[in-house]
Amino acid sequence: GEGLDLLQRPVSDRDVGPIEDVHSRDPVLAVVREGDLLRFDDERAAVLRPGDELVYLHSHAGQDEPA
């Protein structure tokens, strides 16, 4: 991407539990559970389960600028 990527990754063992506890600086937009896309504000996505996947934004802002 050009500074902002939409990515998807499996939930790790460390992520299982309340979505607020996900240790990431990247905002979570949705959870994929058993083929269903659950938006971040869907109450079913409030607790992450093994097998879920996170859809999140990742910013590259400032990473390519000279030091």
Side-chain angles (χ1 to χ4, degrees), residues 43-66:
E43 65 184 37
R44 296 173 293 165
V47 177
L48 299 174
R49 302 177 186 170
D52 286 351
E53 294 191 6
L54 298 177
V55 178
Y56 62 99
L57 288 176
H58 179 73
S59 173
H60 298 280
Q63 292 181 2
D64 295 328
E65 294 176 8

Side-chain angles (χ1 to χ4, degrees), residues 26-48:
D26 301 317
V28 175
L29 300 178
V31 174
V32 178
R33 178 174 294 147
E34 298 177 1
D36 292 328
L37 185 67
L38 309 175
R39 291 182 356 181
F40 69 91
D41 58 350
D42 186 319
E43 65 184 37
R44 296 173 293 165
V47 177
L48 299 174

Side-chain angles (χ1 to χ4, degrees), residues 11-22 33 45-50 52:
V11 167
S12 69
D13 291 341
R14 181 176 104 173
D15 296 330
V16 172
I19 197 168
E20 301 88 31
D21 292 348
V22 173
R33 178 174 294 147
V47 177
L48 299 174
R49 302 177 186 170
D52 286 351

